[in-house]
Amino acid sequence: MNYLYGSKRGIPRKLVATFDSEPQLLAYVGWATLKANPDGSKKFEQGSALSGYENWSQATAPLTDDDPKDVFHNPSPSML
């Protein structure tokens, strides 16, 4: 399982989605990223799992106590 986290300055990272594979996760992040700012922050597609966050990170094991059952699994642009 691959875990996708959204983050914002001053707010702890939050689990926003899970994926079966890293290529699926990276493809989703590529689709969801509208803009990369000079300061390293990003703008994400409205309605995506990363909407409202400034950055993302990934892991192959949980990094927080967030329950994976509470987020989308393998989200795709067609789910919007």
Side-chain angles (χ1 to χ4, degrees):
M1 179 97 64
N2 290 266
Y3 300 84
L4 175 61
Y5 292 89
S7 59
K8 254 182 159 169
R9 277 174 277 203
I11 298 173
R13 77 178 125 209
K14 180 168 176 49
L15 180 65
V16 296
T18 59
F19 295 84
D20 288 328
S21 71
E22 182 179 34
Q24 285 175 309
L25 182 151
L26 295 175
Y28 183 80
V29 169
W31 166 81
T33 304
L34 295 174
K35 179 181 175 185
N37 298 311
D39 66 359
S41 67
K42 295 171 181 58
K43 171 97 172 130
F44 297 105
E45 185 77 44
Q46 287 296 101
S48 75
L50 289 165
S51 179
Y53 292 97
E54 295 176 346
N55 222 322
W56 67 276
S57 59
Q58 71 183 85
T60 55
L63 300 176
T64 65
D65 291 333
D66 298 323
D67 189 342
K69 291 183 225 139
D70 293 339
V71 299
F72 287 114
H73 179 67
N74 289 331
S76 67
S78 64
M79 293 174 69
L80 298 179

